[in-house]
Amino acid sequence: MTASPRYLVRGASLYGETSADLLIADGVIAGVGSGLDASGATVVDADGLVALPGLVDVHTHLREPGREDAETVETGSKAAALGGYTAVHAMANSNPVADTAGVVEQVAHLGRRAGWADVRPVGAVTVGLKGERLAELGAMAESAAAVRMFSDDGMCVHDPVLMRRALEYVKALDGVVAQHAQEPRLTAGAQMNEGAVSSVLGLPGWPAVAEESIIARDVLLAQHVGSRLHVCHVSTAGSVEIIRWAKARGIDVTAEVTPHHLVLTDELVRTYDPVYKVNPPLRTHDDVEALRAALADGTIDVVGTDHAPHPSEHKECEWVQAAMGMTGLETALSVVQLAMVETGLMGWRDVARAMSEAPAKIGRDSDHGRPLAEGEPAHLVLVDPAARWTVDPAAQATKGRNSPFAGRELPGRVIATFYAGHPTVLDGALNAPHPAFAGAHAGER
């Protein structure tokens, strides 16, 4: 790796607690303290800014290969950097599906060449996401991409025998199955959350039990084979209770919640604006409250963005024709501040746990989610918690314009993101990709 210039981050509030300087050199945190020698270093004034470890997303859709009109690895990883992320896990529902060693290595190569963040491919559990037979899990794990997360996200591994086999295989790989919990027969034709609003609007409902029944089955399967299970985008209060029960029982299960499920409800569907169409659907106020409480007490381990960009023609149409999904990389930290920090449910150290440390452990990203301490990799983000900004999708780096927060004022703003000691974001804007990675080929790192 090419040596990076030195940076002195002066006077940052580490985890929103102690104020200190951070000296960054050669990709690591070379010193932490006060009055550090700034000779030869570029000084970044961080007075009033909170320093956190670089964020890690276990649930990103980068669309490449195959859907470059929606997103590319480069545009998605730029969006990640602007959101404070230094590592993202790219879901497998590309075209072709990331179900072979060749495709996951291609995605990893594209991420490395872009140089904005670590891009870790997620391998498909089943061939073509069809739920019929297992994909090449071992080959993907042993490839240069070193896949450790496997998911058919967008589709549920609904066959219990196949799910059991997947859990058995990933156990030997130190991997994890990240399940999109959706019983397909209970959600056939579903357009929104099943409840009072769907009854009024006359839209087919997506019942909570379709998520909860799969989670209940899978935690028992994970216990049976002694394997790791991760539950994607938990959306109901009942799911929270099942996961809480499973953890109390000692089952190795982790779970994520999206930023949008922490603040938005199905009442928004009354607008018929497809920007609010997402899978799993927006739920009720009671569900939102349960999800917030579960994230605060650790029942839900991480925040995953489920960043899902779509071309405008797939969202600017009638509700029933519109694609499901929302963008989220560039707004996630602000939404978490809004829902969890400004409500007093979590402090910044808790945010670091849920958006960096825990997701890094789930994804086996050993260089990420590390403490802000001397000798640790210099992946970090500086955020201004006092800032307020209005979301303008046209000004974002992602190709997707389908943000449910468009036009809304959000708190907090990412001021700088350091990826392996290099500032990919400075003064709240993209700076440059990491010079040691950008343009490189897989295997050079």
Side-chain angles (χ1 to χ4, degrees):
M1 181 188 298
T2 304
S4 301
R6 290 157 57 92
Y7 293 91
L8 182 67
V9 177
R10 177 165 283 164
S13 176
L14 309 188
Y15 304 96
E17 299 168 355
T18 307
S19 179
D21 300 341
L22 295 164
L23 181 62
I24 296 171
D26 297 330
V28 302
I29 298 174
V32 180
S34 59
L36 297 182
D37 181 10
S39 59
T42 299
V43 176
V44 177
D45 182 8
D47 182 36
L49 306 184
V50 172
L52 302 173
L55 307 185
V56 178
D57 190 14
V58 293
H59 195 147
T60 302
H61 296 275
L62 294 180
R63 305 302 192 199
E64 192 176 10
R67 290 309 310 267
E68 291 82 357
D69 56 328
E71 192 77 289
T72 66
V73 171
E74 181 171 19
T75 59
S77 55
K78 282 182 176 177
L82 283 168
Y85 289 90
T86 54
V88 295
H89 288 254
M91 282 295 174
N93 58 342
S94 53
N95 184 18
V97 170
D99 57 6
T100 65
V103 177
V104 296
E105 287 186 343
Q106 179 187 4
V107 174
H109 162 69
L110 290 169
R112 200 165 293 125
R113 189 175 63 178
W116 294 97
D118 273 343
V119 174
R120 297 291 308 275
V122 176
V125 176
T126 67
V127 175
L129 309 178
K130 294 180 178 178
E132 297 172 349
R133 57 190 175 92
L134 291 181
E136 300 172 0
L137 308 184
M140 289 189 280
E142 294 170 2
S143 73
V147 173
R148 290 296 178 271
M149 289 189 70
F150 299 89
S151 180
D152 277 2
D153 183 59
M155 306 292 288
C156 178
V157 183
H158 59 87
D159 183 328
V161 176
L162 205 58
M163 186 62 180
R164 172 183 173 168
R165 297 296 178 229
L167 289 165
E168 290 172 336
Y169 269 102
V170 302
K171 180 180 179 182
L173 306 172
D174 190 29
V176 63
V177 175
Q179 175 70 295
H180 174 116
Q182 177 183 1
E183 210 297 315
R185 294 187 64 189
L186 289 172
T187 55
Q191 291 289 318
M192 66 171 295
N193 178 50
E194 181 179 288
V197 179
S198 67
S199 297
V200 171
L201 300 181
L203 291 173
W206 198 127
V209 68
E211 176 175 301
E212 295 157 4
S213 59
I214 291 293
I215 296 173
R217 182 202 73 178
D218 286 352
V219 295
L220 292 174
L221 286 173
Q223 180 187 38
H224 183 66
V225 303
S227 187
R228 287 201 294 144
L229 170 72
H230 178 71
V231 184
C232 297
H233 39 51
V234 172
S235 69
T236 79
S239 296
V240 167
E241 289 307 310
I242 295 166
I243 293 164
R244 185 172 285 128
W245 172 86
K247 288 192 169 188
R249 198 179 172 98
I251 299 172
D252 196 355
V253 56
T254 56
E256 72 189 38
V257 63
T258 71
H260 47 270
H261 283 108
L262 289 172
V263 293
L264 306 179
T265 72
D266 62 353
E267 289 291 335
L268 291 163
V269 182
R270 294 182 189 275
T271 66
Y272 285 106
D273 185 341
V275 77
Y276 301 118
K277 188 174 180 180
V278 67
N279 184 6
L282 301 178
R283 302 290 188 180
T284 68
H285 175 76
D286 289 345
D287 291 309
V288 168
E289 291 300 308
L291 294 169
R292 289 185 180 190
L295 181 62
D297 71 18
T299 300
I300 292 179
D301 303 81
V302 304
V303 175
T305 69
D306 195 9
H307 173 78
H310 289 291
S312 58
E313 61 268 25
H314 290 184
K315 293 297 272 187
E316 295 174 2
C317 53
E318 292 184 4
W319 178 277
V320 295
Q321 303 298 327
M324 295 181 176
M326 303 170 169
T327 59
L329 284 170
E330 291 167 77
T331 53
L333 187 56
S334 290
V335 175
V336 170
Q337 180 177 334
L338 174 71
M340 305 301 295
V341 179
E342 297 200 343
T343 55
L345 291 170
M346 288 171 59
W348 288 107
R349 189 170 287 276
D350 301 313
V351 174
R353 166 182 54 79
M355 299 188 74
S356 180
E357 296 162 7
K361 288 179 181 176
I362 292 168
R364 296 295 191 254
D365 306 313
S366 58
D367 284 348
H368 293 269
R370 304 291 303 171
L372 297 176
E374 185 173 334
E376 295 288 353
H379 303 300
L380 59 108
V381 56
L382 301 175
V383 58
D384 180 359
R388 294 291 185 274
W389 61 294
T390 300
V391 179
D392 177 8
Q396 294 184 324
T398 175
K399 286 188 174 185
R401 299 293 176 258
N402 48 304
S403 170
F405 304 105
R408 296 192 183 205
E409 184 181 88
L410 294 178
R413 194 71 194 258
V414 171
I415 302 301
T417 304
F418 283 83
Y419 166 45
H422 172 78
T424 54
V425 172
L426 271 179
D427 298 324
L430 287 172
N431 179 39
H434 198 301
F437 303 152
H441 296 283
E444 291 182 350
R445 192 174 149 193

